[in-house]
Short mmCIF file of all heavy atoms in Angstrom, two decimals:
data_model
loop_
_atom_site.label_atom_id
_atom_site.label_comp_id
_atom_site.label_asym_id
_atom_site.label_seq_id
_atom_site.Cartn_x
_atom_site.Cartn_y
_atom_site.Cartn_z
N PHE T 162 13.53 41.85 195.68
CA PHE T 162 14.19 41.74 196.97
C PHE T 162 15.45 40.89 196.84
O PHE T 162 16.50 41.23 197.35
CB PHE T 162 13.27 41.07 198.00
CG PHE T 162 12.01 41.84 198.27
CD1 PHE T 162 10.93 41.21 198.86
CD2 PHE T 162 11.91 43.18 197.92
CE1 PHE T 162 9.78 41.92 199.12
CE2 PHE T 162 10.75 43.89 198.18
CZ PHE T 162 9.68 43.25 198.78
N ALA T 163 15.33 39.77 196.12
CA ALA T 163 16.43 38.82 196.02
C ALA T 163 17.62 39.44 195.32
O ALA T 163 18.77 39.17 195.66
CB ALA T 163 15.98 37.57 195.27
N ALA T 164 17.36 40.29 194.33
CA ALA T 164 18.45 40.90 193.58
C ALA T 164 19.32 41.76 194.47
O ALA T 164 20.56 41.71 194.39
CB ALA T 164 17.89 41.74 192.43
N VAL T 165 18.72 42.55 195.35
CA VAL T 165 19.50 43.37 196.25
C VAL T 165 20.19 42.50 197.29
O VAL T 165 21.33 42.75 197.67
CB VAL T 165 18.61 44.42 196.94
CG1 VAL T 165 19.46 45.29 197.87
CG2 VAL T 165 17.93 45.30 195.91
N LEU T 166 19.51 41.43 197.75
CA LEU T 166 20.10 40.56 198.77
C LEU T 166 21.33 39.86 198.24
O LEU T 166 22.33 39.71 198.94
CB LEU T 166 19.06 39.53 199.23
CG LEU T 166 19.51 38.60 200.35
CD1 LEU T 166 19.94 39.41 201.57
CD2 LEU T 166 18.41 37.61 200.72
N VAL T 167 21.28 39.43 196.96
CA VAL T 167 22.45 38.78 196.37
C VAL T 167 23.63 39.74 196.37
O VAL T 167 24.76 39.38 196.70
CB VAL T 167 22.14 38.31 194.93
CG1 VAL T 167 23.42 37.93 194.21
CG2 VAL T 167 21.19 37.13 194.97
N ALA T 168 23.35 40.99 196.03
CA ALA T 168 24.42 41.99 196.04
C ALA T 168 24.98 42.17 197.44
O ALA T 168 26.17 42.36 197.64
CB ALA T 168 23.91 43.31 195.50
N PHE T 169 24.10 42.12 198.44
CA PHE T 169 24.53 42.24 199.84
C PHE T 169 25.46 41.12 200.21
O PHE T 169 26.49 41.33 200.86
CB PHE T 169 23.29 42.24 200.73
CG PHE T 169 23.60 42.22 202.20
CD1 PHE T 169 24.40 43.20 202.76
CD2 PHE T 169 23.08 41.22 203.02
CE1 PHE T 169 24.67 43.19 204.12
CE2 PHE T 169 23.35 41.21 204.37
CZ PHE T 169 24.15 42.20 204.92
N MET T 170 25.13 39.89 199.78
CA MET T 170 25.96 38.75 200.10
C MET T 170 27.33 38.87 199.44
O MET T 170 28.33 38.35 199.94
CB MET T 170 25.27 37.45 199.65
CG MET T 170 23.96 37.17 200.38
SD MET T 170 24.19 37.02 202.17
CE MET T 170 25.10 35.48 202.24
N CYS T 171 27.37 39.60 198.32
CA CYS T 171 28.64 39.74 197.61
C CYS T 171 29.61 40.69 198.30
O CYS T 171 30.78 40.77 197.93
CB CYS T 171 28.39 40.24 196.18
SG CYS T 171 27.60 39.02 195.12
N VAL T 172 29.12 41.40 199.32
CA VAL T 172 29.99 42.39 199.98
C VAL T 172 31.24 41.76 200.55
O VAL T 172 32.28 42.39 200.65
CB VAL T 172 29.21 43.12 201.09
CG1 VAL T 172 28.94 42.21 202.27
CG2 VAL T 172 29.96 44.37 201.54
N PHE T 173 31.18 40.46 200.89
CA PHE T 173 32.33 39.79 201.49
C PHE T 173 33.44 39.54 200.47
O PHE T 173 34.56 39.23 200.84
CB PHE T 173 31.89 38.48 202.12
CG PHE T 173 30.89 38.69 203.23
CD1 PHE T 173 29.56 38.40 203.03
CD2 PHE T 173 31.28 39.21 204.45
CE1 PHE T 173 28.63 38.62 204.05
CE2 PHE T 173 30.36 39.43 205.46
CZ PHE T 173 29.03 39.13 205.25
N SER T 174 33.12 39.65 199.18
CA SER T 174 34.15 39.44 198.17
C SER T 174 34.55 40.72 197.48
O SER T 174 35.28 40.72 196.51
CB SER T 174 33.64 38.43 197.12
OG SER T 174 32.51 38.96 196.44
N VAL T 175 34.10 41.85 198.01
CA VAL T 175 34.36 43.13 197.37
C VAL T 175 35.83 43.49 197.38
O VAL T 175 36.37 44.04 196.42
CB VAL T 175 33.54 44.25 198.05
CG1 VAL T 175 34.00 45.62 197.55
CG2 VAL T 175 32.07 44.07 197.76
N ALA T 176 36.53 43.17 198.47
CA ALA T 176 37.92 43.59 198.61
C ALA T 176 38.77 43.12 197.44
O ALA T 176 39.65 43.85 196.97
CB ALA T 176 38.49 43.05 199.92
N ALA T 177 38.50 41.92 196.94
CA ALA T 177 39.32 41.37 195.87
C ALA T 177 39.14 42.11 194.56
O ALA T 177 39.99 42.07 193.68
CB ALA T 177 38.99 39.88 195.67
N THR T 178 38.00 42.80 194.39
CA THR T 178 37.72 43.47 193.13
C THR T 178 37.56 44.96 193.31
O THR T 178 37.04 45.64 192.45
CB THR T 178 36.42 42.90 192.51
OG1 THR T 178 35.34 43.09 193.43
CG2 THR T 178 36.55 41.43 192.19
N ASN T 179 38.05 45.48 194.44
CA ASN T 179 37.83 46.89 194.77
C ASN T 179 38.41 47.82 193.71
O ASN T 179 37.82 48.83 193.37
CB ASN T 179 38.44 47.21 196.13
CG ASN T 179 37.94 48.54 196.65
OD1 ASN T 179 36.74 48.80 196.64
ND2 ASN T 179 38.85 49.38 197.10
N SER T 180 39.58 47.47 193.16
CA SER T 180 40.20 48.36 192.18
C SER T 180 39.36 48.45 190.92
O SER T 180 39.32 49.49 190.26
CB SER T 180 41.60 47.85 191.83
OG SER T 180 41.53 46.54 191.29
N VAL T 181 38.66 47.37 190.58
CA VAL T 181 37.78 47.38 189.42
C VAL T 181 36.55 48.21 189.70
O VAL T 181 36.14 49.05 188.90
CB VAL T 181 37.38 45.94 189.01
CG1 VAL T 181 36.39 45.98 187.88
CG2 VAL T 181 38.62 45.16 188.60
N ARG T 182 35.95 47.99 190.87
CA ARG T 182 34.72 48.68 191.21
C ARG T 182 34.91 50.19 191.28
O ARG T 182 34.02 50.95 190.96
CB ARG T 182 34.18 48.16 192.54
CG ARG T 182 33.71 46.71 192.46
CD ARG T 182 33.03 46.28 193.74
NE ARG T 182 32.63 44.90 193.68
CZ ARG T 182 31.53 44.48 193.07
NH1 ARG T 182 30.76 45.33 192.45
NH2 ARG T 182 31.23 43.20 193.04
N ARG T 183 36.04 50.62 191.75
CA ARG T 183 36.27 52.05 191.92
C ARG T 183 36.66 52.74 190.62
O ARG T 183 36.75 53.95 190.57
CB ARG T 183 37.37 52.28 192.96
CG ARG T 183 36.97 51.82 194.35
CD ARG T 183 35.85 52.64 194.94
NE ARG T 183 35.42 52.09 196.21
CZ ARG T 183 34.49 52.64 196.95
NH1 ARG T 183 33.87 53.72 196.55
NH2 ARG T 183 34.15 52.09 198.11
N ALA T 184 36.88 51.96 189.56
CA ALA T 184 37.32 52.56 188.31
C ALA T 184 36.18 53.23 187.55
O ALA T 184 36.41 54.09 186.72
CB ALA T 184 37.97 51.50 187.42
N VAL T 185 34.95 52.81 187.82
CA VAL T 185 33.81 53.31 187.05
C VAL T 185 32.97 54.33 187.79
O VAL T 185 32.68 55.40 187.26
CB VAL T 185 32.91 52.13 186.59
CG1 VAL T 185 31.70 52.64 185.84
CG2 VAL T 185 33.71 51.18 185.71
N PRO T 186 32.54 54.08 189.05
CA PRO T 186 31.58 54.98 189.69
C PRO T 186 32.18 56.32 190.09
O PRO T 186 33.39 56.51 190.16
CB PRO T 186 31.15 54.19 190.94
CG PRO T 186 31.58 52.78 190.70
CD PRO T 186 32.80 52.89 189.87
N ARG T 187 31.28 57.27 190.35
CA ARG T 187 31.64 58.59 190.86
C ARG T 187 30.98 58.78 192.21
O ARG T 187 29.92 58.22 192.47
CB ARG T 187 31.11 59.68 189.91
CG ARG T 187 31.57 59.53 188.48
CD ARG T 187 30.82 60.50 187.60
NE ARG T 187 29.40 60.19 187.56
CZ ARG T 187 28.86 59.27 186.76
NH1 ARG T 187 29.63 58.59 185.95
NH2 ARG T 187 27.57 59.05 186.77
N ALA T 188 31.57 59.60 193.04
CA ALA T 188 30.93 59.94 194.30
C ALA T 188 29.77 60.88 194.02
O ALA T 188 29.88 61.79 193.20
CB ALA T 188 31.93 60.61 195.23
N ALA T 189 28.63 60.65 194.68
CA ALA T 189 27.46 61.51 194.48
C ALA T 189 27.78 62.91 194.99
O ALA T 189 28.27 63.09 196.09
CB ALA T 189 26.26 60.94 195.22
N GLY T 190 27.49 63.90 194.16
CA GLY T 190 27.80 65.27 194.54
C GLY T 190 26.59 66.16 194.46
O GLY T 190 25.53 65.77 193.99
N ALA T 191 26.73 67.38 194.94
CA ALA T 191 25.64 68.34 194.91
C ALA T 191 25.40 68.80 193.49
O ALA T 191 26.27 68.79 192.64
CB ALA T 191 25.97 69.54 195.79
N ALA T 192 24.17 69.23 193.23
CA ALA T 192 23.81 69.66 191.89
C ALA T 192 23.84 71.17 191.77
O ALA T 192 23.30 71.75 190.85
CB ALA T 192 22.42 69.14 191.55
N GLY T 193 24.49 71.86 192.73
CA GLY T 193 24.63 73.31 192.66
C GLY T 193 23.29 74.02 192.66
O GLY T 193 22.38 73.68 193.40
#
């Protein structure tokens, strides 16, 4: 529980690292 909660608290600092975060993930798509 705590691990997800810590990530939730980090949402307030996401803007500063948004360019880094968006460099790796992909948008979830359909599997055809």
Side-chain angles (χ1 to χ4, degrees):
F162 298 161
V165 181
L166 183 58
V167 167
F169 174 56
M170 296 300 292
C171 290
V172 71
F173 298 105
S174 63
V175 170
T178 59
N179 194 48
S180 60
V181 175
R182 293 187 182 280
R183 295 293 175 178
V185 178
R187 304 170 296 277

